[in-house]
Amino acid sequence: GAGVSQSPRYKVAKRGQDVALRCDPISGHVSLFWYQQALGQGPEFLTYFQNEAQLDKSGLPSDRFFAERPEGSVSTLKIQRTQQEDSAVYLCASSKDSLNEKLFFGSGTQLSVL
Amino acid sequence: SQQGEEDPQALSIQEGENATMNCSYKTSINNLQWYRQNSGRGLVHLILIRSNEREKHSGRLRVTLDTSKKSSSLLITASRAADTASYFCATDDIQGAQKLVFGQGTRLTINP
């Protein structure tokens, strides 16, 4: 596809369950971002990749959150032992170069932890 | 943590009127970007203004930047119902951190 694709679109998890969220960026895009967006709030930065290198993970809220982009394209955000406060929309964005002057966003994965 | 703060948090106007949203930020920046988000969707890039620019136009959008006050404004002229969305500013960090930090957003409602 031409845009950033995220799957699943919706995910319901029981507290304590592990989840994996997938992001397919635009082909050839160098930069990839993950953001967490709570209802009515702005996106909060989680982590940033330049190709396969994770250059910034300062926004990951705890060691239960892990992200990878092993081949510099598809990325996975994994959340272990989910908790209710993890409920949010997780947005992925990509940019064609490291200048990051224009981000293309996916529609997000809405995670609900019960 | 959020870098930018948008003002107002919510704005409701009649179709055809102009809408102005403001953004303040904390650190020195290379550029500032504005994005739009329709309900339940991802963000869409609208416009970028560099730190050495004071004003920029794109169609019905006008953006200003005042680096001395660390603030920016987004003006949408002749608003349409389709402009109903949330609007966010995003800033980088002149220190070199490549992450983009978003504000809390302004929820704009255009009434027909």
Side-chain angles (χ1 to χ4, degrees), chain B residues 9-63:
Chain B
Q9 289 190 337
L11 178 62
S12 181
I13 61 173
Q14 294 300 120
E15 195 166 21
E17 295 180 338
N18 296 341
T20 299
M21 291 156 274
N22 303 295
C23 166
S24 61
Y25 58 92
K26 298 173 184 173
T27 65
S28 296
I29 61 173
N30 292 306
N31 61 62
L32 184 145
Q33 303 176 40
W34 284 91
Y35 287 79
R36 182 189 75 222
Q37 184 178 35
N38 289 89
S39 181
R41 304 300 299 273
L43 285 73
V44 175
H45 182 269
L46 294 176
I47 194 167
L48 176 149
I49 187 165
R50 301 188 186 282
S51 59
N52 62 353
E53 297 175 310
R54 290 298 165 258
E55 187 171 312
K56 199 164 182 179
H57 296 253
S58 176
R60 294 185 296 112
L61 304 180
R62 176 185 158 226
V63 171

Side-chain angles (χ1 to χ4, degrees), chain A residues 89-104:
Chain A
V89 174
Y90 290 86
L91 294 168
C92 175
S94 68
S95 179
K96 67 178 176 66
D97 56 34
S98 59
L99 294 178
N100 303 323
E101 293 182 342
K102 182 175 182 178
L103 266 56
F104 294 83

Side-chain angles (χ1 to χ4, degrees), chain A residues 38-88:
Chain A
L39 188 64
Q41 301 295 313
E44 289 265 8
F45 171 81
L46 293 177
T47 187
Y48 166 67
F49 290 86
Q50 195 174 111
N51 296 308
E52 69 277 6
Q54 188 175 20
L55 298 187
D56 189 336
K57 53 181 180 179
S58 62
L60 296 177
S62 75
D63 59 7
R64 296 185 298 103
F65 286 72
F66 172 76
E68 60 183 4
R69 195 186 184 199
E71 297 178 358
S73 56
V74 172
S75 177
T76 303
L77 176 66
K78 298 179 180 178
I79 308 173
Q80 297 177 323
R81 303 180 305 281
T82 53
Q83 301 177 6
Q84 284 188 321
E85 59 262 32
D86 299 335
S87 295

